[in-house]
Amino acid sequence: MKNIIVIIVVALLVIGGAVFYFYSNQDGASYTKDETEKVVVPDVEPVTSDDMVDESATAVEEMDSRGPISTIGKSAGGEDILAYHFGDGDQELIFVGGIHGGYSWNTALMSFEMIDWLKSNPSVVPENVTVTVIPVLNPDGLKKVTGTSGKFTAAQVVASDAVKTEGRFNADNVDLNRNFDCEWQPVGTWQDREVSGGKTVFSEPETQALRDYVKKNQPTAVVAWYSAAGGVYSSSCKNGILPETKTLTNLFAKAAGYPAYEEFNYYEITGDMVNWLAGQNIPAISVLLTTRENTEWSKNRAGIEAVLKHYAE
């Protein structure tokens, strides 16, 4: 009896092993190596060349677009040179302050007053006009005197006259208004002293920034503020005064109550910014504030309004 039981158990084990082996081989045979490693990829629409062009165009459009404030370059000392934009018309009018930094800090402060006024009164900008204000072309020089390269108040100006004089120049000790490409000389004149005009024409990053911005955007006209003489001066660069420059000079001077002059002839000027603009056939004027402290905002606002109305359609 015991032998029969043993035989039955052995038989069951043999049969069970055979069944397991059969089905194991069947499962393994149902998949090849390639199939077991196959990765299932969901259906997606292929990217066409048109799609790629559209994406590229969008990227370019985003790069070319500018907001209300843009950085047009860096100073020799690494400070941002900012431009504030108002309106989106085809005719761009550029207003520049702070060319002589902390020495003429009131021109920068006046420019910031203009920016605040435009923010509060956007409707004064005609539909066909874009106004760009560059309040501080020489942020290095302004920082020497005010402690900041951006917006400030008159109360922050506590520097001595000697420091203010040093604030006329950038971090390379160059007078930026002697570094433009109009009768440029490496050594320029300021009153009764010699000043650096830079190693070469447009050697300074600040003048390069303005040059590149002007060449890219081709403004209709440019107004630049300096101090101090109290007047509006036309620009020219060996090609006479442009007719539109004469119109702009007289227009601004009459509205602001400044005397108008055809040229600045107190001493020889080389490498001047507005004269370089004249050489590019761009009407440009220099507005010199009466002192180096007062912004004379009400006078200059009247001049700005007259310019805006002049270029309105």
Side-chain angles (χ1 to χ4, degrees):
M1 182 68 179
K2 184 184 292 185
N3 291 336
I4 295 173
I5 294 173
V6 171
I7 292 171
I8 293 172
V9 171
V10 172
L12 289 173
L13 289 174
V14 171
I15 295 171
V19 171
F20 176 79
Y21 178 80
F22 175 80
Y23 282 104
S24 295
N25 281 343
Q26 287 294 102
D27 290 341
S30 63
Y31 298 99
T32 65
K33 179 180 179 182
D34 290 340
E35 288 173 329
T36 57
E37 294 180 352
K38 184 177 181 180
V39 178
V40 179
V41 180
D43 293 334
V44 295
E45 294 184 4
V47 178
T48 66
S49 59
D50 289 339
D51 293 332
M52 295 175 67
V53 170
D54 290 342
E55 291 177 0
S56 176
T58 301
V60 170
E61 182 178 349
E62 290 175 353
M63 288 169 56
D64 287 344
S65 63
R66 66 185 184 192
I69 305 175
S70 65
T71 301
I72 67 169
K74 294 274 189 181
S75 69
E79 302 290 335
D80 288 338
I81 302 172
L82 301 178
Y84 295 73
H85 310 285
F86 301 88
D88 57 3
D90 293 335
Q91 297 193 68
E92 184 167 9
L93 306 177
I94 300 179
F95 297 83
V96 185
I99 300 166
H100 286 140
Y103 178 74
S104 299
W105 58 265
N106 57 334
T107 67
L109 189 59
M110 203 284 304
S111 299
F112 282 117
E113 289 181 319
M114 179 181 177
I115 290 168
D116 289 340
W117 174 64
L118 290 171
K119 286 179 179 178
S120 300
N121 302 276
S123 62
V124 302
V125 179
E127 291 185 1
N128 64 309
V129 168
T130 293
V131 172
T132 293
V133 184
I134 303 171
V136 189
L137 188 61
N138 182 4
D140 293 347
L142 184 67
K143 193 171 184 179
K144 293 176 186 178
V145 173
T146 65
T148 179
S149 59
K151 192 174 181 180
F152 64 99
T153 65
Q156 291 175 248
V157 183
V158 295
S160 65
D161 289 343
V163 173
K164 290 177 183 175
T165 297
E166 290 303 312
R168 179 183 175 94
F169 312 105
N170 73 347
D172 290 337
N173 201 35
V174 172
D175 187 325
L176 297 181
N177 208 47
R178 303 293 183 270
N179 191 235
F180 286 84
D181 191 10
C182 176
E183 301 182 308
W184 174 84
Q185 295 293 328
V187 178
T189 301
W190 169 44
Q191 297 179 356
D192 60 350
R193 62 181 285 185
E194 293 183 341
V195 294
S196 172
K199 295 180 179 179
T200 62
V201 65
F202 289 121
S203 62
E204 303 310 296
E206 298 91 341
T207 57
Q208 293 169 19
L210 187 74
R211 175 200 63 192
D212 294 348
Y213 186 88
V214 166
K215 286 186 175 294
K216 177 181 179 181
N217 295 282
Q218 291 297 309
T220 301
V222 177
V223 176
W225 280 285
Y226 301 88
S227 62
V232 182
Y233 297 79
S234 296
S235 60
S236 65
C237 187
K238 296 182 179 180
N239 59 345
I241 302 173
L242 299 171
E244 182 62 11
T245 297
K246 289 183 179 180
T247 300
L248 193 60
T249 301
N250 294 324
L251 180 75
F252 196 107
K254 182 178 179 180
Y258 288 121
Y261 301 94
E262 289 193 352
E263 64 177 329
F264 183 92
N265 57 5
Y266 298 99
Y267 48 87
E268 183 183 12
I269 298 293
T270 56
D272 181 82
M273 181 182 73
V274 295
N275 288 343
W276 168 74
L277 288 163
Q280 305 300 303
N281 293 315
I282 297 173
I285 59 173
S286 298
V287 180
L288 273 67
L289 304 180
T290 306
T291 71
R292 287 193 295 275
E293 289 79 32
N294 298 323
T295 62
E296 299 179 319
W297 167 239
S298 61
K299 291 165 66 78
N300 283 277
R301 182 182 63 191
I304 294 165
E305 287 179 314
V307 171
L308 295 180
K309 289 178 182 178
H310 174 66
Y311 287 106
E313 289 180 333

